Amino acid sequence: MAMINKFPRCKKLHSAFVLCYRNMSLNLKTDKAFVDGKWISASSGKTYEVLNPATGQVLGSVPDMDQDDVRDAIKAANTAFKSWKNTLPKERSVIMKKWYDLSLNYKKELATLLTEENGKPLAEAEGEILYGSGFLEWFGEECRRTYGDVVPSPVQSKRTLVIKQPIGVAGMITPWNFPNAMVTRKAGAAIAAGCTVVLRPAEDTPFSALALCKLAEEAGLPPGVLNVVTSDRGNAGPIGKELCENPLVSKISFTGSTAVGKLLLSQSADTVKKVSLELGGNAPFIVFDSADLQKAVNGLLACKFRNAGQTCVCANRVLVQEGIYAKFVHALALAIESTLKTGNGLEPGVNQGPLINSRAVEKVDGLVKDAVACGAKVIVGGKNAAIGGNFYEPTLLSDVTVDMRVVQEEIFGPVAAIVKFKTEAEAIEIANNTTAGLASYFFTTDIAQAWRVSEKLQYGLVGVNEGIVSAVESTFGGWKESGLGSEGGKYGLDEYLVRKNICYGGITS
């Protein structure tokens, strides 16, 4: 435990830590960035305001950092890596589990902060905190199982083994729609693997990432292992470019749009970085005639309207077989009208929050208007919510065709666009006819059909009679232009490890 002895807060046993910190009180909201274990301002002194998307009110300000700031953070991470990579997995595990315990202890505070800056309903935010905390626990356990191999030698005088070692400094860019879980899923894996991190959270939701830094600091994470630099949209490009091109950074992990992912991939080419990308989706949600109608409706409600439709795995194209089409549209309309309540996520009973900003509202409304102009019918919703601001009504469109923009583009809003199909083969063709390949869903009670369709869908995630498929324990990653690599599960650590072949010679029998 030599490395832990260098950091006094790491010495206590896990159980004693929980008792000691259970009643502590931390102010998780801060107006500073976190670099090399210090809470700092931008070198330029510039800041920017973060708005509550539900009210439009200013939540606070954070540093508007630039390339010079991120270079300093990279240097700090590189220095910290020289010692952190040598810690034992068991030592890292102790810290990760303390971080996990703190996250659970501060679940309500983290969730409230998340709702204020992201807008998602409080119950949903608490669900994200539990999900996000799970990655800290999971990777804290998995890091003790980064096994290598002893390889049978083809020569009597040699012995060969393969070991895994941390890759180095990891540069990360996380999205606004899961401002807690995307940090823990990425940084949790990297830190558990023995890497250090420089992370830029989305400009709309920096407070959740900084709150996690406070808890990591309390858990005993050494200075420089986790660094979070904040910036407004104007500095996002230069910071991303610096992370990709800086030779001290060995790994890039990004979740966001496909267009930005392609740019980051190209910028990482000159230094041949290992890159993980979790990009846009265009998820099909197929309802076959054999489906259990109510289960399919409930599955779509959960899949489509979670976070007001602002997730990369949301159902985007709802394909319903002609024999059940009319019944499904009717049942879904009733469910939307009776179960979805739009409003401020901190208010009781609300399960539909705002879109993240006015640009998102304009995009969603434009897609709906385009669909109507092309012949689609509005069954429910179809316009800005009466309460105004960034709220949009949960919307159901029927008579949608595959050539409409609402089918071709990722909606990222509370709009269910229903397309009719005739045969299983047609549904699979429509589902796979896209450059995206992240998530897909279908409902059927025909077991043979379930096997056939799940194997033919060209997606990294497939939900069979299930609208929520993500789990800490399982892999998450897209095919085609939806990304590279995998996050979560037993494969998540591998993204931050490199294999080394060690051959011992001169062995005589």
Side-chain angles (χ1 to χ4, degrees), residues 85-160:
K85 68 180 179 180
N86 294 320
T87 55
L88 296 175
K90 183 176 181 179
E91 296 168 348
R92 299 196 294 270
S93 178
V94 170
I95 294 175
M96 296 295 292
K97 289 180 179 178
K98 290 177 181 178
W99 194 3
Y100 164 73
D101 285 329
L102 280 165
S103 293
L104 292 187
N105 197 43
Y106 281 89
K107 179 184 73 172
K108 291 190 180 298
E109 291 87 345
L110 289 169
T112 299
L113 189 60
L114 195 160
T115 294
E116 288 176 342
E117 66 176 350
N118 168 277
K120 67 176 60 176
L122 187 59
E124 194 174 324
E126 289 187 3
E128 180 179 338
I129 301 306
L130 291 175
Y131 177 57
S133 300
F135 287 110
L136 302 178
E137 179 188 38
W138 175 261
F139 288 122
E141 296 168 345
E142 280 297 292
C143 70
R144 300 184 67 177
R145 290 185 279 274
T146 51
Y147 305 132
D149 295 289
V150 175
V151 180
S153 175
V155 180
Q156 286 287 355
S157 62
K158 296 180 182 180
R159 299 294 184 271
T160 301

Side-chain angles (χ1 to χ4, degrees), residues 79-346:
T79 299
F81 177 66
K82 295 173 183 177
S83 57
W84 184 246
K85 68 180 179 180
N86 294 320
T87 55
L88 296 175
K90 183 176 181 179
E91 296 168 348
R92 299 196 294 270
S93 178
V94 170
I95 294 175
M96 296 295 292
K97 289 180 179 178
K98 290 177 181 178
W99 194 3
Y100 164 73
D101 285 329
L102 280 165
S103 293
L104 292 187
N105 197 43
Y106 281 89
K107 179 184 73 172
K108 291 190 180 298
E109 291 87 345
L110 289 169
T112 299
L113 189 60
L114 195 160
T115 294
E116 288 176 342
E117 66 176 350
N118 168 277
K120 67 176 60 176
L122 187 59
E124 194 174 324
E126 289 187 3
E128 180 179 338
I129 301 306
L130 291 175
Y131 177 57
S133 300
F135 287 110
L136 302 178
E137 179 188 38
W138 175 261
F139 288 122
E141 296 168 345
E142 280 297 292
C143 70
R144 300 184 67 177
R145 290 185 279 274
T146 51
Y147 305 132
D149 295 289
V150 175
V151 180
S153 175
V155 180
Q156 286 287 355
S157 62
K158 296 180 182 180
R159 299 294 184 271
T160 301
L161 63 148
V162 177
I163 66 172
K164 297 178 181 179
Q165 293 183 304
I167 193 170
V169 177
M172 300 179 174
I173 301 173
T174 55
W176 53 262
N177 56 345
F178 288 93
N180 177 282
M182 294 304 95
V183 173
T184 57
R185 191 162 77 182
K186 295 177 184 294
I191 291 169
C195 298
T196 55
V197 171
V198 178
L199 184 148
R200 179 197 178 266
E203 62 271 13
D204 295 299
T205 55
F207 290 121
S208 289
L210 295 172
L212 284 167
C213 291
K214 284 206 169 188
L215 298 182
E217 184 180 31
E218 286 297 322
L221 195 68
V225 175
L226 174 62
N227 306 274
V228 170
V229 294
T230 58
S231 83
D232 203 356
R233 181 178 291 266
N235 276 322
I239 286 177
K241 189 172 187 290
E242 183 64 35
L243 289 173
C244 291
E245 296 182 353
N246 193 301
L248 296 181
V249 177
S250 300
K251 162 78 181 184
I252 292 293
S253 180
F254 168 74
T255 295
S257 73
T258 300
V260 173
K262 290 178 179 180
L263 176 62
L264 296 176
L265 183 61
S266 67
Q267 291 175 342
S268 299
D270 282 347
T271 49
V272 196
K273 285 180 174 46
K274 188 175 184 180
V275 178
S276 295
L277 302 173
E278 197 266 279
L279 307 177
N282 191 352
F285 188 104
I286 307 170
V287 183
F288 290 103
D289 284 343
S290 65
D292 181 309
L293 178 63
Q294 195 55 52
K295 285 184 179 179
V297 168
N298 292 340
L300 183 59
L301 283 176
C303 179
K304 172 73 258 185
F305 295 100
R306 183 167 57 120
N307 197 19
Q310 300 173 110
T311 85
C312 54
V313 294
C314 272
N316 205 66
R317 297 168 293 155
V318 184
L319 314 177
V320 181
Q321 200 160 13
E322 58 183 0
I324 201 174
Y325 186 89
K327 291 180 180 178
F328 182 84
V329 171
H330 177 69
L332 181 59
L334 292 177
I336 291 173
E337 293 175 329
S338 63
T339 63
L340 300 185
K341 180 182 178 182
T342 300
N344 189 322
L346 296 176

